[in-house]
Amino acid sequence: MAVTQEELYSGLDLELSWSERALPEHVRTKHVHRLHPYHGKFIPQLVEVLLERYVAPGGHVLDPFAGSGTTLVQALESGYDATGAELAAFNCLLMRVKTARYDLDALGAEIHDVTGRLDELRTSARPNAYMRRWYAPEAARQLLAFREHAASDVLRVVLSRAARSARRAAHFDLEAPAEPMTGEYWCHKHRRTCRPVESATGFLRRYALDTLARIGEFASVRSERSARVLQGDARELGYPGAFDAVITSPPYPGLIDYHEQHRYAYELLGLEERRDLELGRGATKAALEEYSAGIAQALANAASALAPGAPVLVVVNDRRDLYPGILERAGLRLEERLRRHVNRRTGRRAGEYYEDVLVARQ
Ligand SMILES: C[S@@+](CC[C@H](N)C(=O)[O-])C[C@H]1O[C@@H](n2cnc3c(N)ncnc32)[C@H](O)[C@@H]1O
């Protein structure tokens, strides 16, 4: 029998559950949260409420699986210091760009200079096999030419975002396209016939200007607090200092390949890949055991850097019920389990979806 709305709501933490109308996409991806797509992030409003509830103002929060930096950015906006650990080099680059402080006049000059010269940029670099497969020749040339002039990390993120959009991927399949589109195709997203992209220049210009605007918006709301990004394996990183909370959403087994989703960036920027150390690869019995041991080790490592009594807040959709065991292995006591309703945006992933915030302490 279907549950009533009252029954449905009684198990939910309503302060952590938003309707699409209350929290539309452009608010969930405000200012720098949208500098570059990242599949598998949580929303800043969730971090905002958790900080308010569990961390005294001005504290220092640690996210050992920091991803695209949602925790760090929101911490800066809410008046907290933040440290993020992350394995994947592209995610670290993105976080650094989101959380750095800028001389906005100098950044504006740099962006306007390069966008003004986009049509003149030249290169002698040749596209590699990946570029030849995924880009029209003109788009590949433009991206490689931009790369030669992308001296700053901000421009490297702009380049990556443009490289994502300029792939010969179907518009409805940008997250994990399997095959390049070489001709016209029926586009489920736009409900019309679309053609593969031929040029990257429009994306480079649009994203460069959008990035400048978003960094400017964030500068006007961020506090004086600072953020630090540590690249490495969360199981083993040595954390400097005592933190006042852990807020994190760990990878979940077999769901997302956190390197592969940004393959174009690794190819173009020559970033080092550490997929061998990525937790959550595969969902066989052995992989699940390795996952549980790895997450437990990473949480224990983070918890060892906490001030006494500080909370560990883990956001997860634990459909395999692995987390009670993981927390125990990490030496953490589960204090509360808050359930939230998650809105799904696209038709392809429609359906009810819930996740939990596990509140644990040592
Ligand atoms: C669910 S995502 C975190 C998303 C983040 N909350 C956000 O909003 O962007 C999990 C992250 O853990 C990272 N990761 C996987 N294995 C790791 C490891 N051994 N050490 C550190 N980070 C790791 C992945 O690269 C991924 O970015």
Side-chain angles (χ1 to χ4, degrees):
M1 199 172 67
V3 290
T4 63
Q5 196 173 44
E6 205 175 322
E7 281 166 334
L8 185 70
Y9 282 14
S10 67
L12 290 182
D13 189 319
L14 292 180
E15 216 198 345
L16 300 179
S17 308
W18 293 267
S19 67
E20 184 65 32
R21 186 130 60 109
L23 200 56
E25 223 247 315
H26 70 96
V27 184
R28 301 195 296 267
T29 57
K30 60 185 170 172
H31 51 72
V32 292
H33 292 291
R34 211 206 174 96
L35 285 198
H36 190 286
Y38 173 103
H39 179 41
K41 61 185 173 194
F42 54 24
I43 57 173
Q45 289 76 15
L46 173 61
V47 177
E48 186 177 14
V49 177
L50 295 177
L51 285 168
E52 254 170 48
R53 262 194 213 177
Y54 292 99
V55 196
H60 192 154
V61 56
L62 169 66
D63 186 342
F65 297 106
S68 65
T70 311
T71 305
L72 275 60
V73 170
Q74 183 57 46
L76 293 178
E77 188 172 336
S78 295
Y80 297 81
D81 290 313
T83 294
E86 168 61 46
L87 179 69
F90 179 71
N91 301 345
C92 290
L93 169 71
L94 183 55
M95 275 194 274
R96 291 198 176 100
V97 167
K98 287 180 175 179
T99 58
R101 282 186 183 285
Y102 295 91
D103 172 338
L104 291 177
D105 290 336
L107 183 65
E110 183 187 15
I111 298 261
H112 287 297
D113 172 58
V114 76
T115 51
R117 291 188 299 122
L118 279 179
D119 295 326
E120 301 153 25
L121 301 181
R122 298 283 176 268
T123 181
S124 55
R126 300 208 162 273
N128 67 11
Y130 174 88
M131 298 279 299
R132 287 197 302 276
R133 176 164 147 80
W134 281 98
Y135 297 93
E138 186 59 3
R141 194 196 58 71
Q142 292 160 344
L143 292 168
L144 291 171
F146 190 87
R147 182 179 71 180
E148 272 182 33
H149 296 82
S152 66
D153 283 347
V154 172
L155 290 182
R156 279 149 41 98
V157 168
V158 169
L159 172 64
S160 303
R161 188 171 166 197
R164 181 181 191 271
S165 298
R167 288 171 301 172
R168 286 164 154 172
H171 293 142
F172 54 84
D173 200 19
L174 291 171
E175 241 160 45
E179 289 296 324
M181 288 293 182
T182 47
E184 288 185 348
Y185 60 94
W186 176 251
C187 180
H188 302 293
K189 183 171 169 189
H190 299 121
R191 298 217 173 89
R192 59 177 156 80
T193 302
C194 284
R195 253 181 230 115
V197 174
E198 295 292 332
S199 163
T201 299
F203 293 118
L204 287 164
R205 180 173 292 114
R206 173 140 59 93
Y207 295 156
L209 297 173
D210 182 63
T211 298
L212 177 62
R214 287 177 179 276
I215 288 176
E217 267 171 56
F218 183 46
S220 68
V221 297
R222 66 183 286 169
S223 63
E224 288 301 307
R225 297 283 162 171
S226 60
R228 180 172 47 185
V229 176
L230 306 173
Q231 186 176 356
D233 185 341
R235 287 168 287 195
E236 305 201 323
L237 272 169
Y239 294 118
F243 300 98
D244 301 298
V246 165
I247 299 184
T248 197
S249 66
Y252 206 71
L255 283 187
I256 299 172
D257 184 329
Y258 287 98
H259 279 82
E260 190 58 30
Q261 65 165 305
H262 300 129
R263 159 135 308 280
Y264 46 89
Y266 287 88
E267 294 283 347
L268 260 171
L269 301 178
L271 302 169
E272 191 198 356
E273 299 193 26
R274 296 314 313 262
R275 329 168 149 241
D276 50 322
L277 296 175
E278 195 172 302
L279 287 163
R281 292 171 63 77
T284 60
K285 200 164 169 232
L288 292 181
E289 169 47 31
E290 197 187 322
Y291 170 83
S292 292
I295 299 285
Q297 194 182 339
L299 291 180
N301 188 27
S304 73
L306 283 176
V312 176
L313 309 172
V314 182
V315 180
V316 71
N317 171 7
D318 187 18
R319 59 193 174 82
R320 293 190 176 87
D321 201 29
L322 301 173
Y323 272 75
I326 289 176
L327 293 178
E328 204 180 316
R329 282 166 93 156
L332 296 166
R333 187 172 36 82
L334 181 61
E335 203 168 80
E336 260 181 294
R337 182 188 278 269
L338 315 171
R339 173 144 293 204
R340 70 179 220 95
H341 180 247
V342 182
N343 276 312
R344 306 216 108 174
R345 253 182 320 144
T346 60
R348 292 201 316 144
R349 285 213 215 96
E352 293 304 320
Y353 181 82
Y354 300 90
E355 65 187 15
D356 290 336
V357 181
L358 308 175
V359 182
R361 289 180 212 263
Q362 276 175 314

